[in-house]
């Protein structure tokens, strides 16, 4: 592990503690930090070496089979995203966004979580209804906030 990676992990822990108002952020066995806020449930981790990358992600659906139709739907959705992306990997559909770990402020980290939540809340029900699988989180977005009635799209992500 490089010194840059150590510093980035410490920085992530500080941001997680601030966002969740916890005393100590502790990673799971995979090195992921679970973040539960009023906006939902997310995971965050740092990968890389000399330029550590911060990854914020949520699992939209697990136990979902890959198909050409599913990949086409995910690609169509990705075409409309700016920073986030949705992927199928290991029988799961994930929504994630990335940033340079050491250049990310706590406010930017919180925004990353919101972006992932909003996009996954828009796409998640559609994926589950059309392609099956099992919802990982029942809600990843803000409670008591319904999507706009006139919009078919979550907005700028």
């Amino acid at each position: 592990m490089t010194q840059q990676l150590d510093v980035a992990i410490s920085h992530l822990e500080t941001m997680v503690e601030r966002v969740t108002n916890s005393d100590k952020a502790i990673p799971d066995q995979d090195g992921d930090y679970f973040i539960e806020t009023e906006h939902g449930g997310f995971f965050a981790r740092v990968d890389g070496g000399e330029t550590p990358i911060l990854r914020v992600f949520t699992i939209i659906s697990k136990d979902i089979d890959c198909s050409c139709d599913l990949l086409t739907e995910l690609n169509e959705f990705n075409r409309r995203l700016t920073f986030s992306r949705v992927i199928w990997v290991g029988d799961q559909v994930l929504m994630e966004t990335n940033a340079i770990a050491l250049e990310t402020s706590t406010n930017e980290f919180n925004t990353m979580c919101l972006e992932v939540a909003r996009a996954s809340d828009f796409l998640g029900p559609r994926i589950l209804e059309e392609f099956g699988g099992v919802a990982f989180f029942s809600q990843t977005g803000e409670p008591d906030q319904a999507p706009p009635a006139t919009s078919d799209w979550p907005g700028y992500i």
Side-chain angles (χ1 to χ4, degrees):
M1 191 177 302
T2 67
Q3 182 178 5
Q4 290 291 332
L5 187 56
D6 286 341
V7 171
I9 291 170
S10 177
H11 179 56
L12 172 58
E13 288 178 353
T14 299
M15 290 189 298
V16 168
E17 291 162 4
R18 288 178 180 166
V19 167
T20 62
N21 294 317
S22 63
D23 292 331
K24 179 67 179 152
I26 300 173
D28 64 16
Q29 69 275 8
D30 296 324
D32 299 329
Y33 294 83
F34 180 68
I35 304 143
E36 186 171 11
T37 70
E38 68 271 13
H39 307 298
F42 315 95
F43 296 95
R45 68 176 300 122
V46 175
D47 291 323
E50 293 304 313
T51 306
I53 303 298
L54 169 62
R55 302 187 192 287
V56 175
F57 63 97
T58 192
I59 301 168
I60 292 175
S61 177
K62 60 182 183 173
D63 302 326
I64 186 168
D65 294 327
C66 186
S67 68
C68 288
D69 289 340
L70 173 64
L71 296 178
T72 299
E73 180 73 19
L74 299 183
N75 284 338
E76 178 62 27
F77 195 71
N78 281 330
R79 187 178 63 80
R80 295 184 270 167
L81 293 171
T82 302
F83 297 111
S84 301
R85 70 177 176 262
V86 61
I87 59 173
W88 178 90
V89 62
D91 296 329
Q92 298 178 339
V93 173
L94 306 175
M95 175 65 64
E96 73 173 10
T97 190
N98 303 314
I100 304 296
L102 293 173
E103 295 179 11
T104 304
S105 70
T106 301
N107 286 339
E108 291 166 336
F109 176 67
N110 192 44
T111 299
M112 291 170 70
C113 293
L114 285 171
E115 289 173 350
V116 167
R118 289 179 180 147
S120 63
D121 279 347
F122 175 79
L123 181 63
R126 294 168 186 229
I127 293 296
L128 291 167
E129 181 178 320
E130 189 168 338
F131 301 101
V134 178
F136 193 77
F137 292 113
S138 61
Q139 181 181 14
T140 57
E142 297 173 327
D144 301 320
Q145 181 177 353
T150 59
S151 178
D152 181 69
W153 179 246
Y156 179 77
I157 302 289

